[in-house]
Amino acid sequence: MTNVEPMSGESSADSGIPELGGRTSARQAAARQGGRKGGRRWIRITAAALGLTLVAGCGAAYLYYQHLNGNIQSGSKNLSDAKGSKTAPNAAGQTPLNILLIGTDSRGSAANVALGGAADDAGRPGLADVQMLLHVSADRTNASMISIPRDTLVDIPTCHSEDGKTTYPATKHTMINEALPRGGPGCVLGTWVKLTGLDIDHYMMVDFAGVVSMADAVGGVPVCVNMNLYDRYQPGVGGTDLKLPKGTSYIKGEQALQWLRMRDAWGDDIGRTKAQHLYLSAMIRQLKKNGSLSDPGRLMSLAEAATKSLTVDKPIADIKKLYDLGSDLRSVPTERTTSLTVPVDTAPSDPDRLVLHKQDTDQIWKMLLADTPIDGKSLKGGDGASGGASAGPSPSGTTAAAPAREINKGSVAVTVQNASGATARATEIKDALIEAGFGKATAIGGGGSEESTVLTYGSGQSAQAQAIATALDLPADALKESGSSRTLSLVIGSDWTSGTSYPASGGASGSAKPAPNKLPKSVESTTADDDKSCMTVNPQGHIYTY
């Protein structure tokens, strides 16, 4: 038998190798027993160390989680008296998401003052210069980003401050960006509820510094201009000082903010919203392309950048809830994320201001309420987001028929009463009727409380009633013939608490008016997968090419 030598510096007993003859000495046995005890001791020490490491790691993760949560500012979702309609769940029990995205020019911090370039404005409340509604379909297969230009004149509802101590009365024909100082983002959301008739689930607001830091966190965002551009700043005139060469440039930091704020380079505020859509679409592509959402380092940078400048409504003021919300948004393909600006006209009262093209914007709101895809791709025979609404017949008995003959709208006397529970509804609908040509419409008190909206008309007034129903999109079952009064009576019920067009999901007996299945012809839209879009520079005023 060959002897086995112990390793250098080690006796046979210490090596754990039995002595020749197969017998184990007492010294060996003791050593082996001690080895087992020592092994168990090191296992315990290692386990304890690992446990401490895990606990420390969990503690650090928890502290970082709390740190991010502490960055987020939050407020009440809706600080107005406006109420919107919810979309009914689909067959799988899912409902759409409506999220209002707000960009503010607040100079409330040193960083924002430096970026805003107006230290004397540091104390004033910010204005909501960027506003767009993000609608995500119930099945999360498509989404749309819909902007209203900041110069658009709208009616802002009654709002109150976050602490409830200050009430801001309703205003008419006010620039939409002025809703923010009237209570905060909860009043901006309430203004959109009033305009659209939709229930809006959440809001997210970001300031100057947030735009800059998020652009840095994703490594820059590609944008394109069709010629060399220098938006030179001139005191008393404007300009952002952004300078870009013709073609595609990756912008980040202050350049990103300049791009989003720039107006004169495009000629008007509508051009600015298009540039904002191009930027956001490019950012979505960048996030998916460079793996920012799956790379821990980039994700932490994004989380820091976003939370430090983010204000949201209280129900989602938590990192986990925001992450879950982001997971919903990430599932939407870029080719089915559509951006558009609502149709607007020049305001009759001011050539520098805009007003909504009511008929076409109402068509968009109805599509959102019905969760009809804006791009039309999931509709059989759909040809995308072009063309007007279908002129096909409505189901019998569900909507008011068009008047059989022309009538003189100005001679139709109609009273409007509010029984909805919402404030100022009679006046709002009366104003809408007058705008539609019914000059004898009047708002009267009373009305009490009613569940259903009803238009009552007398014998021989069917054509007049149908004309009013067409103007307000009332369903046929909201019309009721009664008596011989020569004045029609419209009572607004709790089924219609906002907006000046009757909501598509309602109906006095549960019937629903079919929603349009295409965007109006006046709308131009793009999708987030379009990486060939290039902004057309308007070389006027203080815009210089080089």
Side-chain angles (χ1 to χ4, degrees), residues 292-368:
S292 297
L293 300 177
S294 58
D295 179 271
R298 284 185 179 271
L299 196 57
M300 287 177 68
S301 297
L302 272 172
E304 283 286 349
T307 57
K308 283 181 179 177
S309 302
L310 190 66
T311 303
V312 300
D313 56 289
K314 291 176 182 177
I316 57 170
D318 178 89
I319 289 298
K320 183 182 184 305
K321 291 177 181 176
L322 287 172
Y323 181 83
D324 291 342
L325 189 60
S327 297
D328 274 350
L329 303 182
R330 286 199 301 272
S331 64
V332 181
T334 54
E335 66 270 17
R336 298 215 57 200
T337 301
T338 306
S339 300
L340 62 91
T341 302
V342 296
V344 290
D345 300 313
T346 300
S349 59
D350 187 342
D352 293 328
R353 298 291 177 258
L354 305 168
V355 291
L356 297 177
H357 191 292
K358 186 176 181 306
Q359 182 177 354
D360 287 356
T361 53
D362 282 350
Q363 186 170 327
I364 296 171
W365 310 144
K366 289 172 187 175
M367 291 182 72
L368 298 185

Side-chain angles (χ1 to χ4, degrees), residues 282-476:
M283 178 176 271
I284 291 170
R285 294 195 303 274
Q286 278 300 103
L287 287 169
K288 295 191 175 185
K289 177 182 177 182
N290 65 21
S292 297
L293 300 177
S294 58
D295 179 271
R298 284 185 179 271
L299 196 57
M300 287 177 68
S301 297
L302 272 172
E304 283 286 349
T307 57
K308 283 181 179 177
S309 302
L310 190 66
T311 303
V312 300
D313 56 289
K314 291 176 182 177
I316 57 170
D318 178 89
I319 289 298
K320 183 182 184 305
K321 291 177 181 176
L322 287 172
Y323 181 83
D324 291 342
L325 189 60
S327 297
D328 274 350
L329 303 182
R330 286 199 301 272
S331 64
V332 181
T334 54
E335 66 270 17
R336 298 215 57 200
T337 301
T338 306
S339 300
L340 62 91
T341 302
V342 296
V344 290
D345 300 313
T346 300
S349 59
D350 187 342
D352 293 328
R353 298 291 177 258
L354 305 168
V355 291
L356 297 177
H357 191 292
K358 186 176 181 306
Q359 182 177 354
D360 287 356
T361 53
D362 282 350
Q363 186 170 327
I364 296 171
W365 310 144
K366 289 172 187 175
M367 291 182 72
L368 298 185
L369 182 60
D371 200 24
T372 302
I374 289 292
D375 59 11
K377 290 182 181 178
S378 66
L379 300 174
K380 291 183 178 180
D383 56 356
S386 62
S390 170
S394 300
S396 175
T398 60
T399 59
R405 57 181 175 82
E406 288 294 323
I407 63 167
N408 179 7
K409 294 179 181 179
S411 67
V412 178
V414 54
T415 62
V416 185
Q417 289 180 297
N418 180 19
S420 68
T423 59
R425 293 294 292 143
T427 300
E428 289 174 18
I429 302 304
K430 179 263 294 182
D431 289 346
L433 285 170
I434 290 176
E435 187 177 342
F438 296 91
K440 287 190 174 182
T442 57
I444 62 175
S449 177
E450 298 289 344
E451 290 185 5
S452 302
T453 297
V454 177
L455 174 62
T456 304
Y457 60 95
S459 176
Q461 292 183 306
S462 175
Q464 290 89 333
Q466 288 175 352
I468 291 174
T470 299
L472 301 175
D473 286 331
L474 293 175

